[in-house]
């Protein structure tokens, strides 16, 4: 057995044993899963790695490990002796996926996740970057699958679609493509347009994440409904959608006449001051109101 395949077996066994322990021991699972609060404030950085060896259930574990072995086996054939690069790919993608999730959810202390999906996504995208002509489901070219998957993943992050760690998927995929290019830089000359097509949506997402975070981090912030709501409020010339009152403590607080008025106020504040300048309570209220008014 070549070194890469041997490492795959070790990783598979590690995922199986660690996940089994988590299935039967809730305290163990909670101690080692990805949890923003303990990572940020208690500096429990081990969770960035250990969460990748835990899974929610048998279906989650089997799907991840099957996908990992199917694509990892191709890499083991292409580069049978590049053990150091394969391990860097797997663990780098795992950590990269969790790092992106941590950045996106840095203000959501209760956000939790588990699974090897970030690492598996890295292996999948590295394989496709090295062999974009490979055929996948229903004879779809690998490069087309990668582009569509990336777009769906970005939509999943924006809409929080499903109980899925889309952030880890995208972060792992980005690391996978980068390391594939490092492993075989000649693919830049052989498949320049394909690689551009795969990486362009990732680059656009990262630009908005850093430069325009309010567009990505507020559910449906730019939705048609919310724009119509804001326009309706402007046309009605409502001059006072909220009022200041003095609670018993003597400190001023805002009391809104309706949820729509509160949403309108928060959207205006984001537009004028930026999402990052909202208080934690205002961020939570904005997300809640956006969901309620959909």
């Amino acid at each position: 057995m070549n070194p890469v395949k041997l490492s795959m077996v070790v990783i598979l066994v590690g995922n199986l044993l660690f996940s089994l322990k988590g299935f039967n021991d809730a305290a163990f699972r909670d101690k080692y899963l990805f949890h923003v609060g303990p990572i940020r404030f208690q500096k429990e950085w081990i969770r960035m790695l250990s969460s990748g060896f835990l899974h929610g259930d048998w279906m989650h574990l089997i799907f991840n490990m099957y996908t990992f072995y199917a694509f990892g086996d191709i890499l083991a054939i292409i580069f049978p002796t590049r053990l150091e690069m394969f391990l860097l790919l797997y663990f780098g993608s795992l950590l990269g996926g969790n790092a992106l999730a941590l950045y996106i959810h840095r203000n959501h202390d209760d956000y939790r996740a588990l699974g090897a999906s970030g690492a598996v996504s890295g292996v999948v995208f590295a394989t496709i970057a090295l062999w974009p002509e490979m055929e996948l489901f229903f004879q779809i070219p690998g490069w087309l699958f990668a582009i569509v998957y990336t777009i769906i993943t970005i939509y999943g992050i924006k809409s929080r679609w499903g109980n899925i760690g889309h952030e880890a998927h995208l972060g792992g995929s980005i690391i996978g493509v980068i390391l594939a290019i490092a492993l075989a830089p000649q693919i830049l000359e052989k498949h320049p347009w394909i690689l551009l097509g795969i990486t362009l949506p990732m680059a656009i997402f990262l630009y908005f994440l850093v430069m325009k975070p309010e567009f990505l981090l507020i559910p449906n912030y730019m939705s048609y409904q919310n724009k119509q709501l804001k326009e309706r409020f402007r046309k009605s010339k409502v001059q006072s959608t909220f009022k200041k009152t003095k609670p018993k403590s003597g400190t001023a607080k805002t009391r809104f006449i309706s949820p729509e008025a509160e949403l309108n106020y928060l959207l205006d504040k984001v537009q004028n001051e930026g999402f990052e300048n909202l208080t934690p309570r205002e961020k939570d209220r904005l997300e809640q109101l956006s969901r309620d008014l959909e």
Side-chain angles (χ1 to χ4, degrees):
M1 183 179 294
N2 68 46
V4 172
K5 281 200 172 184
L6 180 59
S7 69
M8 288 173 57
V9 172
V10 173
I11 290 171
L12 283 166
V13 172
N15 272 273
L16 175 61
L17 296 178
F18 214 70
S19 294
L20 278 174
K21 176 66 174 176
F23 292 161
N24 299 311
D25 188 342
F28 177 85
R29 183 190 62 224
D30 291 343
K31 182 178 180 180
Y32 290 108
L33 56 70
F34 180 90
H35 189 179
V36 171
I39 292 173
R40 285 194 62 203
F41 302 113
Q42 280 77 51
K43 308 302 181 185
E44 296 180 4
W45 301 111
I46 187 63
R47 292 174 180 268
M48 299 284 287
L49 179 65
S50 61
S51 60
F53 288 84
L54 290 167
H55 290 81
D57 52 40
W58 277 105
M59 186 61 67
H60 188 201
L61 173 64
I62 291 171
F63 179 80
N64 270 345
M65 291 302 97
Y66 173 78
T67 305
F68 165 63
Y69 191 84
F71 284 85
D73 194 48
I74 297 174
L75 293 179
I77 294 172
I78 299 176
F79 300 107
T81 61
R82 299 299 299 273
L83 175 61
E84 73 289 349
M85 287 300 297
F86 183 78
L87 294 177
L88 179 61
L89 170 63
Y90 186 88
F91 290 102
S93 299
L94 171 58
L95 294 173
N98 281 340
L100 183 61
L102 182 62
Y103 181 79
I104 291 175
H105 293 286
R106 61 194 180 279
N107 295 317
H108 306 146
D109 298 343
D110 290 335
Y111 180 82
R112 305 179 181 208
L114 44 71
S117 299
V120 174
S121 294
V123 171
V124 170
F125 269 69
T127 306
I128 292 174
L130 292 166
W131 185 19
E133 303 93 344
M134 68 184 302
E135 292 185 350
L136 302 176
F137 319 101
F138 307 106
Q139 296 184 324
I140 297 175
W143 61 267
L144 179 59
F145 169 83
I147 294 173
V148 173
Y149 181 86
T150 299
I151 294 172
I152 291 174
T153 300
I154 291 173
Y155 170 78
I157 294 173
K158 173 66 177 66
S159 64
R160 300 191 182 181
W161 166 58
N163 188 27
I164 301 171
H166 299 286
E167 300 85 353
H169 293 185
L170 183 63
S173 301
I174 292 171
I175 298 299
V177 173
I178 292 173
L179 290 179
I181 295 172
L183 186 64
Q186 64 270 19
I187 63 176
L188 286 172
E189 297 181 5
K190 189 175 181 182
H191 306 293
W193 294 109
I194 289 177
L195 289 174
L196 178 63
I198 294 173
T199 56
L200 185 60
M202 298 174 177
I204 292 173
F205 173 85
L206 293 176
Y207 168 80
F208 277 102
L209 182 63
V210 175
M211 304 302 296
K212 303 284 186 180
E214 66 276 8
F215 179 75
L216 295 171
L217 301 182
I218 301 176
N220 300 309
Y221 170 64
M222 296 297 289
S223 72
Y224 176 79
Q225 287 181 329
N226 283 346
K227 287 193 290 185
Q228 287 295 96
L229 176 63
K230 289 171 67 64
E231 186 63 24
R232 189 164 69 247
F233 269 78
R234 289 194 182 96
K235 287 183 178 179
S236 65
K237 296 182 179 179
V238 176
Q239 299 298 319
S240 179
T241 59
F242 59 93
K243 58 185 179 180
K244 294 288 184 179
T245 62
K246 286 281 186 176
K248 293 181 180 179
S249 64
T251 58
K253 70 175 182 179
T254 302
R255 181 174 295 168
F256 296 93
I257 61 176
S258 69
E260 289 85 357
E262 184 177 5
L263 176 62
N264 190 59
Y265 166 73
L266 291 172
L267 289 174
D268 281 332
K269 187 171 181 180
V270 168
Q271 202 166 37
N272 295 328
E273 302 178 21
F275 178 76
E276 295 299 325
N277 289 321
L278 296 182
T279 66
R281 182 185 179 281
E282 286 174 332
K283 292 175 183 177
D284 291 340
R285 284 295 294 158
L286 182 55
E287 294 181 6
Q288 179 183 346
L289 290 167
S290 298
R291 290 193 298 267
D292 292 343
L293 292 173
E294 287 179 355

